[in-house]
Amino acid sequence: MATEGNAPLTDIARRWAKSRTDLPTVTAALRKGDVSTANEPAEIDQRRARLAAHGTELEAVIGEDDSLWLGFLSRGLLMARAVVRVVTLPVRSPAVPEGTGVLVSPRVLLTNHHVVPDAEHAAPMGVQVGYEYGDDGGELACTTIRLAPETLFFTAPVSTLDFTVVALAEEAPENTGYVPLIEAGGKVLIAEPLNVIHHPGGERKQVSIRNNRLVSQDEKWLRYTSDTRHGSSGAPVFNDQWEMVALHHGGIPARDAEGRRLTRTSEVWTPDMDEEAVAYQWNEGARVSRIVRRLRTAALPKPQRVLLDEALSKGVRS
């Protein structure tokens, strides 16, 4: 089966094919600055209410003016601290990058099922906190923490929601923070911009800001345009208020008129090139609200349930 970061490309492509008819509607909404052509009235009302709590209006989010309050940057940097590189930790060799993950409490990691599929795979794995560049362009030292699946492990297969939560062997450094899992609706509308913080290609942390739009959604998935690569699997997808709305899990390669895959420099990709060179145009992530609902019903031993409920409680307060 064709994959992007091991997520089933065929399933994503099938869902995207059904969404193609939504693209003209989204384009019209952006051109007119009117989301009512792409969303239901109840959804718009819910979004207005949530934006009001953030001190902003829907027109400011969807309008042509691309200016943002300075807090957009400071809040984004705060959330970025909790985004980590997921790695395998061999005994005698450097860490091997496997994907991206996000801390949803100081002790709990959320990533894709296809990145950490079971407790056995998790045992030799860990996260690298602060794997990024400093303001001067130099490489910062990161903190490596092993996973502790014996303390907490729960996973939902790719065919359902493609996510895994797993404990860390110790709490992340105090300044790392976490991204709350918010079950409440009203976090995003079709045609709104999205932001992705990730470790594409296993590289140091990067951010894809606002040049991404929510195009379509269904009961489980959000579909959006963005610049992602292998290694972005497990990345948090945010709205402009830096609330996590989805967990990225895969994408559709960009192709030319003849159906050939393209690179990130718009060249035709050939087998002698690295897979990391492939450009992905259409992307998909599991809805955070659905992840939370599944976690609330997960059958776990009491100590694991307590740790997970502690993480979920942080989203209730947000």
Side-chain angles (χ1 to χ4, degrees), residues 142-169:
C142 65
T143 300
T144 301
I145 306 173
R146 285 192 171 273
L147 300 186
E150 68 280 3
T151 302
L152 169 64
F153 188 90
F154 181 79
T155 192
V158 175
S159 59
T160 58
L161 284 169
D162 192 16
F163 76 83
T164 290
V165 289
V166 57
L168 305 184

Side-chain angles (χ1 to χ4, degrees), residues 24-59:
T25 303
V26 173
T27 301
L30 292 173
R31 185 174 61 249
K32 298 176 182 178
D34 181 6
V35 294
S36 65
T37 60
N39 299 273
E40 296 297 324
E43 295 172 327
I44 295 173
D45 290 343
Q46 191 177 34
R47 184 67 177 129
R48 284 189 187 279
R50 191 157 191 90
L51 287 171
H54 287 278
T56 190
E57 299 177 348
L58 181 59
E59 288 72 17

Side-chain angles (χ1 to χ4, degrees), residues 168-192:
L168 305 184
E170 60 187 85
E171 286 195 0
E174 185 176 357
N175 67 345
T176 304
Y178 58 85
V179 174
L181 291 177
I182 303 171
E183 183 178 6
K187 296 189 291 295
V188 68
L189 290 174
I190 291 173
E192 273 197 63

Side-chain angles (χ1 to χ4, degrees), residues 39 55-56 87 104 168 198 279 310:
N39 299 273
T56 190
V87 297
V104 295
L168 305 184
H198 50 155
E310 180 186 355

Side-chain angles (χ1 to χ4, degrees), residues 233-249:
S233 292
V237 181
F238 297 95
N239 61 18
D240 271 0
Q241 293 72 52
W242 294 103
E243 296 173 324
M244 185 178 169
V245 300
L247 181 71
H248 176 75
H249 87 131

Side-chain angles (χ1 to χ4, degrees), residues 1 5-8 11-12 14-15 110-119 153-165 220-221 247-250 284-287 290-291 294-295 297-298:
M1 184 185 301
N6 295 325
D11 288 348
I12 299 172
R14 174 177 50 79
R15 288 189 288 265
L110 171 68
T111 187
N112 287 144
H113 167 87
H114 73 259
V115 173
V116 186
D118 52 49
F153 188 90
F154 181 79
T155 192
V158 175
S159 59
T160 58
L161 284 169
D162 192 16
F163 76 83
T164 290
V165 289
K220 293 181 179 180
W221 312 101
L247 181 71
H248 176 75
H249 87 131
E284 184 180 72
R287 300 175 67 165
R290 287 8 179 216
I291 291 175
R294 182 66 188 91
L295 288 173
T297 62

